[in-house]
Amino acid sequence: LAKTTQPISMDSYEGQEVNITCSHNNIATNDYITWYQQFPSQGPRFIIQGYKTKVTNEVASLFIPADRKSSTLSLPRVSLSDTAVYYCLVGDGSGNTGKLIFGQGTTLQVKP
Amino acid sequence: GAVVSQHPSWVICKSGTSVKIECRSLDFQATTMFWYRQFPKQSLMLMATSNEGSKATYEQGVEKDKFLINHASLTLSTLTVTSAHPEDSSFYICSARREVEETQYFGPGTRLLVL
């Protein structure tokens, strides 16, 4: 399974756009890129998933360059409630076992 | 859609007893479910892959006789911690794989405290 690398922590202020970049140099051809958000004492919550180029939903955008060796999660205009740990994972594609191996994640602290 | 529940949300038990945790996919069927464990300030650690109708696949270092997994239906997987000890105290989280999206959805977690 491909390993991911993210910054351990990031700080931001309310109303700012936050971009979290994840490196996954060994991503396989059939791997998807998925981001989750986790609050303390809760299970991870699905944010967004993509394979290539750009994906956007109601909460975030995911930018994936052509070589797919990295990806960037973009959170527009964050609020205090976006303070959480964000995990980038690769895998779960067709033909895979479906296993996801969690890295350390990025702890985002949003300040007023 | 894509809701996964766990029961109980928290449990306290005495050392030596067994505890069963249920994981249900409420609005989709899941051939594959996963069990994770998370210690304070740490990331999720995959324990095992639960396959409907077949034996679970355990990650290296996870004792299959201690953590019994049963995936009897397409919406239910159970994790039984047998002869629990204080070091088994942790946050246990399950996920269910929604095949059509090839995406895992996670339950809210179960806090286990072994006294």
Side-chain angles (χ1 to χ4, degrees), chain A residues 1-50:
Chain A
L1 290 173
K3 181 180 177 180
T4 60
T5 303
Q6 310 172 226
I8 293 176
S9 64
M10 293 182 68
D11 288 342
S12 182
Y13 291 92
E14 283 191 290
Q16 289 188 333
E17 177 185 77
V18 171
N19 296 306
I20 306 174
T21 297
C22 177
S23 172
H24 29 79
N25 291 317
N26 296 322
I27 189 169
T29 302
N30 58 348
D31 281 343
Y32 285 92
I33 300 160
T34 312
W35 287 78
Y36 292 89
Q37 175 193 57
Q38 187 183 29
F39 298 111
S41 297
Q42 294 186 27
R45 183 178 77 101
F46 173 83
I47 300 175
I48 197 166
Q49 178 175 272

mmCIF file of all heavy atoms in Angstrom, chain A residues 1-50:
data_model
loop_
_atom_site.group_PDB
_atom_site.id
_atom_site.type_symbol
_atom_site.label_atom_id
_atom_site.label_comp_id
_atom_site.label_asym_id
_atom_site.label_seq_id
_atom_site.Cartn_x
_atom_site.Cartn_y
_atom_site.Cartn_z
ATOM 1 N N LEU A 1 0.838 -1.190 0.000
ATOM 2 C CA LEU A 1 0.000 0.000 0.000
ATOM 3 C C LEU A 1 0.869 1.233 0.000
ATOM 4 O O LEU A 1 1.889 1.295 0.665
ATOM 5 C CB LEU A 1 -0.908 0.015 1.231
ATOM 6 C CG LEU A 1 -2.029 -1.031 1.219
ATOM 7 C CD1 LEU A 1 -2.751 -1.035 2.543
ATOM 8 C CD2 LEU A 1 -2.996 -0.765 0.090
ATOM 9 N N ALA A 2 0.439 2.235 -0.760
ATOM 10 C CA ALA A 2 1.220 3.451 -0.870
ATOM 11 C C ALA A 2 1.214 4.204 0.459
ATOM 12 O O ALA A 2 0.199 4.311 1.133
ATOM 13 C CB ALA A 2 0.656 4.323 -1.974
ATOM 14 N N LYS A 3 2.358 4.763 0.794
ATOM 15 C CA LYS A 3 2.489 5.538 2.019
ATOM 16 C C LYS A 3 2.232 6.999 1.706
ATOM 17 O O LYS A 3 2.575 7.480 0.615
ATOM 18 C CB LYS A 3 3.896 5.369 2.582
ATOM 19 C CG LYS A 3 4.155 6.117 3.866
ATOM 20 C CD LYS A 3 5.584 5.890 4.338
ATOM 21 C CE LYS A 3 5.886 6.704 5.585
ATOM 22 N NZ LYS A 3 7.279 6.489 6.041
ATOM 23 N N THR A 4 1.616 7.689 2.658
ATOM 24 C CA THR A 4 1.349 9.110 2.466
ATOM 25 C C THR A 4 2.123 9.927 3.474
ATOM 26 O O THR A 4 2.377 9.475 4.600
ATOM 27 C CB THR A 4 -0.151 9.403 2.610
ATOM 28 O OG1 THR A 4 -0.576 9.019 3.922
ATOM 29 C CG2 THR A 4 -0.963 8.638 1.585
ATOM 30 N N THR A 5 2.471 11.136 3.087
ATOM 31 C CA THR A 5 3.177 12.071 3.961
ATOM 32 C C THR A 5 2.451 13.398 3.955
ATOM 33 O O THR A 5 2.172 13.953 2.886
ATOM 34 C CB THR A 5 4.628 12.274 3.491
ATOM 35 O OG1 THR A 5 5.294 10.999 3.432
ATOM 36 C CG2 THR A 5 5.384 13.170 4.464
ATOM 37 N N GLN A 6 2.125 13.881 5.160
ATOM 38 C CA GLN A 6 1.426 15.158 5.324
ATOM 39 C C GLN A 6 2.131 15.965 6.390
ATOM 40 O O GLN A 6 2.811 15.404 7.242
ATOM 41 C CB GLN A 6 -0.010 14.947 5.816
ATOM 42 C CG GLN A 6 -0.864 13.973 5.110
ATOM 43 C CD GLN A 6 -2.179 13.744 5.848
ATOM 44 O OE1 GLN A 6 -2.581 12.592 6.013
ATOM 45 N NE2 GLN A 6 -2.860 14.787 6.253
ATOM 46 N N PRO A 7 1.902 17.288 6.385
ATOM 47 C CA PRO A 7 2.428 18.084 7.502
ATOM 48 C C PRO A 7 1.742 17.644 8.793
ATOM 49 O O PRO A 7 0.562 17.299 8.798
ATOM 50 C CB PRO A 7 2.063 19.524 7.127
ATOM 51 C CG PRO A 7 0.988 19.396 6.109
ATOM 52 C CD PRO A 7 1.225 18.115 5.388
ATOM 53 N N ILE A 8 2.475 17.653 9.881
ATOM 54 C CA ILE A 8 1.913 17.206 11.154
ATOM 55 C C ILE A 8 0.845 18.158 11.662
ATOM 56 O O ILE A 8 -0.181 17.745 12.199
ATOM 57 C CB ILE A 8 3.031 17.060 12.196
ATOM 58 C CG1 ILE A 8 3.969 15.921 11.810
ATOM 59 C CG2 ILE A 8 2.450 16.800 13.587
ATOM 60 C CD1 ILE A 8 5.151 15.774 12.739
ATOM 61 N N SER A 9 1.078 19.450 11.466
ATOM 62 C CA SER A 9 0.123 20.432 11.967
ATOM 63 C C SER A 9 0.103 21.668 11.090
ATOM 64 O O SER A 9 1.064 21.949 10.368
ATOM 65 C CB SER A 9 0.468 20.823 13.412
ATOM 66 O OG SER A 9 1.715 21.470 13.461
ATOM 67 N N MET A 10 -1.022 22.387 11.160
ATOM 68 C CA MET A 10 -1.187 23.653 10.447
ATOM 69 C C MET A 10 -2.074 24.558 11.295
ATOM 70 O O MET A 10 -2.989 24.076 11.976
ATOM 71 C CB MET A 10 -1.855 23.452 9.081
ATOM 72 C CG MET A 10 -1.034 22.689 8.076
ATOM 73 S SD MET A 10 -1.875 22.552 6.486
ATOM 74 C CE MET A 10 -1.862 24.242 5.934
ATOM 75 N N ASP A 11 -1.809 25.838 11.223
ATOM 76 C CA ASP A 11 -2.642 26.830 11.889
ATOM 77 C C ASP A 11 -3.288 27.724 10.838
ATOM 78 O O ASP A 11 -2.685 28.002 9.794
ATOM 79 C CB ASP A 11 -1.816 27.701 12.841
ATOM 80 C CG ASP A 11 -1.380 26.937 14.079
ATOM 81 O OD1 ASP A 11 -1.975 25.888 14.366
ATOM 82 O OD2 ASP A 11 -0.432 27.392 14.747
ATOM 83 N N SER A 12 -4.491 28.177 11.120
ATOM 84 C CA SER A 12 -5.158 29.096 10.222
ATOM 85 C C SER A 12 -6.090 29.968 11.050
ATOM 86 O O SER A 12 -6.263 29.759 12.254
ATOM 87 C CB SER A 12 -5.953 28.326 9.162
ATOM 88 O OG SER A 12 -6.569 29.217 8.254
ATOM 89 N N TYR A 13 -6.696 30.955 10.374
ATOM 90 C CA TYR A 13 -7.656 31.826 11.020
ATOM 91 C C TYR A 13 -8.998 31.681 10.341
ATOM 92 O O TYR A 13 -9.099 31.305 9.170
ATOM 93 C CB TYR A 13 -7.180 33.282 10.981
ATOM 94 C CG TYR A 13 -5.969 33.534 11.861
ATOM 95 C CD1 TYR A 13 -4.680 33.441 11.348
ATOM 96 C CD2 TYR A 13 -6.134 33.855 13.206
ATOM 97 C CE1 TYR A 13 -3.576 33.661 12.168
ATOM 98 C CE2 TYR A 13 -5.034 34.077 14.022
ATOM 99 C CZ TYR A 13 -3.767 33.977 13.506
ATOM 100 O OH TYR A 13 -2.685 34.188 14.307
ATOM 101 N N GLU A 14 -10.011 31.994 11.096
ATOM 102 C CA GLU A 14 -11.357 31.917 10.544
ATOM 103 C C GLU A 14 -11.471 32.723 9.257
ATOM 104 O O GLU A 14 -10.935 33.825 9.146
ATOM 105 C CB GLU A 14 -12.370 32.467 11.554
ATOM 106 C CG GLU A 14 -12.706 31.539 12.687
ATOM 107 C CD GLU A 14 -13.895 32.042 13.497
ATOM 108 O OE1 GLU A 14 -13.751 33.062 14.202
ATOM 109 O OE2 GLU A 14 -14.966 31.421 13.397
ATOM 110 N N GLY A 15 -12.188 32.176 8.295
ATOM 111 C CA GLY A 15 -12.420 32.872 7.047
ATOM 112 C C GLY A 15 -11.360 32.661 5.990
ATOM 113 O O GLY A 15 -11.567 33.003 4.825
ATOM 114 N N GLN A 16 -10.217 32.085 6.374
ATOM 115 C CA GLN A 16 -9.156 31.849 5.403
ATOM 116 C C GLN A 16 -9.370 30.543 4.650
ATOM 117 O O GLN A 16 -10.092 29.658 5.112
ATOM 118 C CB GLN A 16 -7.795 31.824 6.101
ATOM 119 C CG GLN A 16 -7.317 33.162 6.611
ATOM 120 C CD GLN A 16 -5.883 33.112 7.113
ATOM 121 O OE1 GLN A 16 -5.407 32.064 7.538
ATOM 122 N NE2 GLN A 16 -5.200 34.246 7.069
ATOM 123 N N GLU A 17 -8.738 30.445 3.500
ATOM 124 C CA GLU A 17 -8.706 29.197 2.761
ATOM 125 C C GLU A 17 -7.513 28.392 3.249
ATOM 126 O O GLU A 17 -6.424 28.929 3.430
ATOM 127 C CB GLU A 17 -8.582 29.459 1.255
ATOM 128 C CG GLU A 17 -8.476 28.187 0.420
ATOM 129 C CD GLU A 17 -8.241 28.494 -1.045
ATOM 130 O OE1 GLU A 17 -7.084 28.835 -1.403
ATOM 131 O OE2 GLU A 17 -9.190 28.386 -1.840
ATOM 132 N N VAL A 18 -7.722 27.112 3.455
ATOM 133 C CA VAL A 18 -6.647 26.240 3.936
ATOM 134 C C VAL A 18 -6.364 25.171 2.893
ATOM 135 O O VAL A 18 -7.291 24.519 2.394
ATOM 136 C CB VAL A 18 -7.021 25.570 5.276
ATOM 137 C CG1 VAL A 18 -5.999 24.508 5.648
ATOM 138 C CG2 VAL A 18 -7.106 26.617 6.384
ATOM 139 N N ASN A 19 -5.102 25.011 2.588
ATOM 140 C CA ASN A 19 -4.677 23.982 1.647
ATOM 141 C C ASN A 19 -3.727 23.018 2.350
ATOM 142 O O ASN A 19 -2.706 23.426 2.893
ATOM 143 C CB ASN A 19 -3.968 24.604 0.442
ATOM 144 C CG ASN A 19 -4.890 25.482 -0.362
ATOM 145 O OD1 ASN A 19 -5.964 25.054 -0.775
ATOM 146 N ND2 ASN A 19 -4.485 26.727 -0.588
ATOM 147 N N ILE A 20 -4.079 21.753 2.353
ATOM 148 C CA ILE A 20 -3.242 20.720 2.966
ATOM 149 C C ILE A 20 -2.753 19.802 1.859
ATOM 150 O O ILE A 20 -3.562 19.197 1.148
ATOM 151 C CB ILE A 20 -4.021 19.896 4.013
ATOM 152 C CG1 ILE A 20 -4.674 20.811 5.051
ATOM 153 C CG2 ILE A 20 -3.080 18.913 4.709
ATOM 154 C CD1 ILE A 20 -5.581 20.078 6.027
ATOM 155 N N THR A 21 -1.452 19.703 1.735
ATOM 156 C CA THR A 21 -0.877 18.885 0.673
ATOM 157 C C THR A 21 -0.407 17.552 1.212
ATOM 158 O O THR A 21 0.139 17.463 2.313
ATOM 159 C CB THR A 21 0.292 19.626 0.000
ATOM 160 O OG1 THR A 21 -0.210 20.806 -0.623
ATOM 161 C CG2 THR A 21 0.935 18.756 -1.071
ATOM 162 N N CYS A 22 -0.611 16.532 0.439
ATOM 163 C CA CYS A 22 -0.239 15.170 0.815
ATOM 164 C C CYS A 22 0.634 14.584 -0.293
ATOM 165 O O CYS A 22 0.332 14.736 -1.477
ATOM 166 C CB CYS A 22 -1.511 14.334 0.987
ATOM 167 S SG CYS A 22 -1.243 12.597 1.377
ATOM 168 N N SER A 23 1.691 13.932 0.101
ATOM 169 C CA SER A 23 2.591 13.299 -0.849
ATOM 170 C C SER A 23 2.358 11.793 -0.843
ATOM 171 O O SER A 23 2.273 11.180 0.235
ATOM 172 C CB SER A 23 4.044 13.615 -0.473
ATOM 173 O OG SER A 23 4.957 12.878 -1.251
ATOM 174 N N HIS A 24 2.234 11.222 -2.032
ATOM 175 C CA HIS A 24 2.051 9.764 -2.157
ATOM 176 C C HIS A 24 2.780 9.295 -3.406
ATOM 177 O O HIS A 24 2.156 8.978 -4.430
ATOM 178 C CB HIS A 24 0.570 9.363 -2.172
ATOM 179 C CG HIS A 24 -0.357 10.404 -2.723
ATOM 180 N ND1 HIS A 24 -0.535 10.636 -4.069
ATOM 181 C CD2 HIS A 24 -1.162 11.293 -2.079
ATOM 182 C CE1 HIS A 24 -1.402 11.597 -4.236
ATOM 183 N NE2 HIS A 24 -1.814 12.026 -3.061
ATOM 184 N N ASN A 25 4.089 9.232 -3.313
ATOM 185 C CA ASN A 25 4.940 8.943 -4.471
ATOM 186 C C ASN A 25 4.717 7.563 -5.062
ATOM 187 O O ASN A 25 4.965 7.351 -6.246
ATOM 188 C CB ASN A 25 6.412 9.104 -4.081
ATOM 189 C CG ASN A 25 6.778 10.556 -3.807
ATOM 190 O OD1 ASN A 25 6.375 11.442 -4.536
ATOM 191 N ND2 ASN A 25 7.525 10.791 -2.738
ATOM 192 N N ASN A 26 4.300 6.609 -4.239
ATOM 193 C CA ASN A 26 4.171 5.229 -4.717
ATOM 194 C C ASN A 26 2.730 4.835 -5.016
ATOM 195 O O ASN A 26 2.391 3.654 -4.969
ATOM 196 C CB ASN A 26 4.764 4.270 -3.683
ATOM 197 C CG ASN A 26 6.252 4.477 -3.495
ATOM 198 O OD1 ASN A 26 6.976 4.748 -4.450
ATOM 199 N ND2 ASN A 26 6.713 4.369 -2.258
ATOM 200 N N ILE A 27 1.911 5.791 -5.358
ATOM 201 C CA ILE A 27 0.506 5.510 -5.628
ATOM 202 C C ILE A 27 0.394 4.561 -6.818
ATOM 203 O O ILE A 27 1.106 4.692 -7.807
ATOM 204 C CB ILE A 27 -0.277 6.810 -5.864
ATOM 205 C CG1 ILE A 27 -1.769 6.534 -5.933
ATOM 206 C CG2 ILE A 27 0.220 7.540 -7.117
ATOM 207 C CD1 ILE A 27 -2.626 7.803 -5.898
ATOM 208 N N ALA A 28 -0.515 3.582 -6.695
ATOM 209 C CA ALA A 28 -0.707 2.614 -7.763
ATOM 210 C C ALA A 28 -1.742 3.114 -8.764
ATOM 211 O O ALA A 28 -2.547 3.995 -8.455
ATOM 212 C CB ALA A 28 -1.150 1.271 -7.168
ATOM 213 N N THR A 29 -1.721 2.514 -9.940
ATOM 214 C CA THR A 29 -2.580 2.965 -11.030
ATOM 215 C C THR A 29 -4.057 2.961 -10.653
ATOM 216 O O THR A 29 -4.804 3.865 -11.030
ATOM 217 C CB THR A 29 -2.369 2.076 -12.263
ATOM 218 O OG1 THR A 29 -0.989 2.135 -12.632
ATOM 219 C CG2 THR A 29 -3.235 2.531 -13.426
ATOM 220 N N ASN A 30 -4.481 1.970 -9.898
ATOM 221 C CA ASN A 30 -5.906 1.870 -9.580
ATOM 222 C C ASN A 30 -6.249 2.412 -8.188
ATOM 223 O O ASN A 30 -7.335 2.146 -7.674
ATOM 224 C CB ASN A 30 -6.395 0.425 -9.718
ATOM 225 C CG ASN A 30 -5.626 -0.516 -8.821
ATOM 226 O OD1 ASN A 30 -4.594 -0.157 -8.268
ATOM 227 N ND2 ASN A 30 -6.122 -1.728 -8.653
ATOM 228 N N ASP A 31 -5.356 3.171 -7.594
ATOM 229 C CA ASP A 31 -5.616 3.764 -6.276
ATOM 230 C C ASP A 31 -6.412 5.056 -6.396
ATOM 231 O O ASP A 31 -6.112 5.906 -7.237
ATOM 232 C CB ASP A 31 -4.307 4.076 -5.544
ATOM 233 C CG ASP A 31 -3.667 2.857 -4.918
ATOM 234 O OD1 ASP A 31 -4.358 1.840 -4.754
ATOM 235 O OD2 ASP A 31 -2.464 2.935 -4.580
ATOM 236 N N TYR A 32 -7.372 5.201 -5.517
ATOM 237 C CA TYR A 32 -8.036 6.481 -5.340
ATOM 238 C C TYR A 32 -7.324 7.253 -4.236
ATOM 239 O O TYR A 32 -6.566 6.691 -3.462
ATOM 240 C CB TYR A 32 -9.500 6.279 -4.930
ATOM 241 C CG TYR A 32 -10.394 5.830 -6.045
ATOM 242 C CD1 TYR A 32 -10.631 4.478 -6.286
ATOM 243 C CD2 TYR A 32 -11.037 6.758 -6.867
ATOM 244 C CE1 TYR A 32 -11.451 4.063 -7.312
ATOM 245 C CE2 TYR A 32 -11.869 6.356 -7.892
ATOM 246 C CZ TYR A 32 -12.062 5.003 -8.107
ATOM 247 O OH TYR A 32 -12.884 4.599 -9.123
ATOM 248 N N ILE A 33 -7.596 8.547 -4.150
ATOM 249 C CA ILE A 33 -7.092 9.400 -3.078
ATOM 250 C C ILE A 33 -8.301 9.878 -2.289
ATOM 251 O O ILE A 33 -9.235 10.446 -2.860
ATOM 252 C CB ILE A 33 -6.319 10.604 -3.637
ATOM 253 C CG1 ILE A 33 -5.127 10.116 -4.475
ATOM 254 C CG2 ILE A 33 -5.845 11.512 -2.493
ATOM 255 C CD1 ILE A 33 -4.602 11.158 -5.432
ATOM 256 N N THR A 34 -8.284 9.616 -0.992
ATOM 257 C CA THR A 34 -9.432 9.925 -0.152
ATOM 258 C C THR A 34 -8.988 10.711 1.071
ATOM 259 O O THR A 34 -7.948 10.415 1.661
ATOM 260 C CB THR A 34 -10.134 8.635 0.321
ATOM 261 O OG1 THR A 34 -10.344 7.769 -0.797
ATOM 262 C CG2 THR A 34 -11.478 8.955 0.961
ATOM 263 N N TRP A 35 -9.768 11.703 1.428
ATOM 264 C CA TRP A 35 -9.495 12.518 2.611
ATOM 265 C C TRP A 35 -10.621 12.349 3.623
ATOM 266 O O TRP A 35 -11.809 12.333 3.267
ATOM 267 C CB TRP A 35 -9.363 13.993 2.236
ATOM 268 C CG TRP A 35 -8.080 14.323 1.527
ATOM 269 C CD1 TRP A 35 -7.781 14.091 0.219
ATOM 270 C CD2 TRP A 35 -6.934 14.951 2.098
ATOM 271 N NE1 TRP A 35 -6.508 14.535 -0.059
ATOM 272 C CE2 TRP A 35 -5.962 15.078 1.067
ATOM 273 C CE3 TRP A 35 -6.615 15.434 3.374
ATOM 274 C CZ2 TRP A 35 -4.711 15.655 1.287
ATOM 275 C CZ3 TRP A 35 -5.374 16.006 3.590
ATOM 276 C CH2 TRP A 35 -4.430 16.118 2.551
ATOM 277 N N TYR A 36 -10.203 12.228 4.888
ATOM 278 C CA TYR A 36 -11.141 12.112 5.996
ATOM 279 C C TYR A 36 -10.833 13.185 7.039
ATOM 280 O O TYR A 36 -9.690 13.638 7.173
ATOM 281 C CB TYR A 36 -11.049 10.739 6.665
ATOM 282 C CG TYR A 36 -11.531 9.582 5.826
ATOM 283 C CD1 TYR A 36 -10.674 8.911 4.970
ATOM 284 C CD2 TYR A 36 -12.860 9.161 5.905
ATOM 285 C CE1 TYR A 36 -11.109 7.843 4.208
ATOM 286 C CE2 TYR A 36 -13.308 8.090 5.142
ATOM 287 C CZ TYR A 36 -12.422 7.437 4.295
ATOM 288 O OH TYR A 36 -12.865 6.373 3.546
ATOM 289 N N GLN A 37 -11.866 13.537 7.798
ATOM 290 C CA GLN A 37 -11.747 14.484 8.906
ATOM 291 C C GLN A 37 -12.108 13.747 10.184
ATOM 292 O O GLN A 37 -13.080 12.971 10.210
ATOM 293 C CB GLN A 37 -12.725 15.647 8.676
ATOM 294 C CG GLN A 37 -12.817 16.653 9.804
ATOM 295 C CD GLN A 37 -14.034 17.563 9.610
ATOM 296 O OE1 GLN A 37 -15.168 17.093 9.503
ATOM 297 N NE2 GLN A 37 -13.801 18.863 9.549
ATOM 298 N N GLN A 38 -11.345 13.967 11.236
ATOM 299 C CA GLN A 38 -11.669 13.315 12.502
ATOM 300 C C GLN A 38 -11.627 14.305 13.649
ATOM 301 O O GLN A 38 -10.623 15.004 13.845
ATOM 302 C CB GLN A 38 -10.724 12.149 12.807
ATOM 303 C CG GLN A 38 -11.161 11.352 14.035
ATOM 304 C CD GLN A 38 -10.230 10.230 14.413
ATOM 305 O OE1 GLN A 38 -9.032 10.291 14.167
ATOM 306 N NE2 GLN A 38 -10.779 9.192 15.033
ATOM 307 N N PHE A 39 -12.723 14.324 14.404
ATOM 308 C CA PHE A 39 -12.785 15.084 15.648
ATOM 309 C C PHE A 39 -12.463 14.142 16.794
ATOM 310 O O PHE A 39 -12.613 12.920 16.664
ATOM 311 C CB PHE A 39 -14.173 15.695 15.840
ATOM 312 C CG PHE A 39 -14.552 16.669 14.768
ATOM 313 C CD1 PHE A 39 -15.558 16.369 13.859
ATOM 314 C CD2 PHE A 39 -13.918 17.903 14.659
ATOM 315 C CE1 PHE A 39 -15.908 17.267 12.863
ATOM 316 C CE2 PHE A 39 -14.268 18.804 13.673
ATOM 317 C CZ PHE A 39 -15.260 18.474 12.769
ATOM 318 N N PRO A 40 -12.043 14.685 17.943
ATOM 319 C CA PRO A 40 -11.713 13.820 19.090
ATOM 320 C C PRO A 40 -12.881 12.925 19.480
ATOM 321 O O PRO A 40 -14.026 13.349 19.512
ATOM 322 C CB PRO A 40 -11.395 14.840 20.193
ATOM 323 C CG PRO A 40 -10.932 16.049 19.464
ATOM 324 C CD PRO A 40 -11.753 16.103 18.208
ATOM 325 N N SER A 41 -12.562 11.679 19.750
ATOM 326 C CA SER A 41 -13.531 10.676 20.206
ATOM 327 C C SER A 41 -14.654 10.433 19.200
ATOM 328 O O SER A 41 -15.776 10.090 19.593
ATOM 329 C CB SER A 41 -14.115 11.081 21.568
ATOM 330 O OG SER A 41 -13.093 11.115 22.545
ATOM 331 N N GLN A 42 -14.365 10.626 17.930
ATOM 332 C CA GLN A 42 -15.330 10.303 16.885
ATOM 333 C C GLN A 42 -14.631 9.515 15.779
ATOM 334 O O GLN A 42 -13.413 9.586 15.627
ATOM 335 C CB GLN A 42 -15.931 11.576 16.278
ATOM 336 C CG GLN A 42 -16.797 12.376 17.243
ATOM 337 C CD GLN A 42 -17.485 13.543 16.562
ATOM 338 O OE1 GLN A 42 -17.736 13.511 15.349
ATOM 339 N NE2 GLN A 42 -17.784 14.578 17.317
ATOM 340 N N GLY A 43 -15.414 8.786 15.000
ATOM 341 C CA GLY A 43 -14.850 8.105 13.848
ATOM 342 C C GLY A 43 -14.553 9.094 12.726
ATOM 343 O O GLY A 43 -15.152 10.169 12.669
ATOM 344 N N PRO A 44 -13.633 8.753 11.835
ATOM 345 C CA PRO A 44 -13.339 9.653 10.703
ATOM 346 C C PRO A 44 -14.568 9.871 9.831
ATOM 347 O O PRO A 44 -15.374 8.963 9.634
ATOM 348 C CB PRO A 44 -12.249 8.889 9.941
ATOM 349 C CG PRO A 44 -11.614 7.994 10.956
ATOM 350 C CD PRO A 44 -12.737 7.593 11.862
ATOM 351 N N ARG A 45 -14.663 11.084 9.326
ATOM 352 C CA ARG A 45 -15.777 11.446 8.446
ATOM 353 C C ARG A 45 -15.241 11.659 7.043
ATOM 354 O O ARG A 45 -14.262 12.392 6.839
ATOM 355 C CB ARG A 45 -16.460 12.708 8.952
ATOM 356 C CG ARG A 45 -17.680 13.140 8.137
ATOM 357 C CD ARG A 45 -18.324 14.370 8.742
ATOM 358 N NE ARG A 45 -17.583 15.594 8.453
ATOM 359 C CZ ARG A 45 -17.910 16.485 7.517
ATOM 360 N NH1 ARG A 45 -18.946 16.276 6.742
ATOM 361 N NH2 ARG A 45 -17.180 17.574 7.352
ATOM 362 N N PHE A 46 -15.868 11.037 6.057
ATOM 363 C CA PHE A 46 -15.469 11.174 4.661
ATOM 364 C C PHE A 46 -15.633 12.622 4.217
ATOM 365 O O PHE A 46 -16.666 13.252 4.439
ATOM 366 C CB PHE A 46 -16.333 10.259 3.789
ATOM 367 C CG PHE A 46 -16.127 10.439 2.312
ATOM 368 C CD1 PHE A 46 -15.092 9.802 1.664
ATOM 369 C CD2 PHE A 46 -16.985 11.242 1.568
ATOM 370 C CE1 PHE A 46 -14.901 9.955 0.296
ATOM 371 C CE2 PHE A 46 -16.809 11.406 0.204
ATOM 372 C CZ PHE A 46 -15.771 10.761 -0.427
ATOM 373 N N ILE A 47 -14.576 13.159 3.565
ATOM 374 C CA ILE A 47 -14.657 14.521 3.030
ATOM 375 C C ILE A 47 -14.782 14.478 1.519
ATOM 376 O O ILE A 47 -15.727 15.027 0.947
ATOM 377 C CB ILE A 47 -13.407 15.343 3.387
ATOM 378 C CG1 ILE A 47 -13.235 15.460 4.901
ATOM 379 C CG2 ILE A 47 -13.516 16.750 2.771
ATOM 380 C CD1 ILE A 47 -11.943 16.166 5.288
ATOM 381 N N ILE A 48 -13.811 13.850 0.857
ATOM 382 C CA ILE A 48 -13.768 13.905 -0.597
ATOM 383 C C ILE A 48 -12.861 12.798 -1.123
ATOM 384 O O ILE A 48 -11.946 12.345 -0.414
ATOM 385 C CB ILE A 48 -13.279 15.297 -1.061
ATOM 386 C CG1 ILE A 48 -13.609 15.560 -2.528
ATOM 387 C CG2 ILE A 48 -11.792 15.485 -0.782
ATOM 388 C CD1 ILE A 48 -13.461 17.039 -2.926
ATOM 389 N N GLN A 49 -13.132 12.378 -2.341
ATOM 390 C CA GLN A 49 -12.321 11.339 -2.973
ATOM 391 C C GLN A 49 -12.130 11.681 -4.446
ATOM 392 O O GLN A 49 -13.053 12.203 -5.074
ATOM 393 C CB GLN A 49 -12.999 9.977 -2.829
ATOM 394 C CG GLN A 49 -12.253 8.822 -3.501
ATOM 395 C CD GLN A 49 -12.911 7.491 -3.214
ATOM 396 O OE1 GLN A 49 -12.627 6.832 -2.216
ATOM 397 N NE2 GLN A 49 -13.805 7.078 -4.082
ATOM 398 N N GLY A 50 -10.945 11.386 -4.962
ATOM 399 C CA GLY A 50 -10.698 11.643 -6.368
ATOM 400 C C GLY A 50 -9.673 10.695 -6.949
ATOM 401 O O GLY A 50 -8.975 9.991 -6.215
#
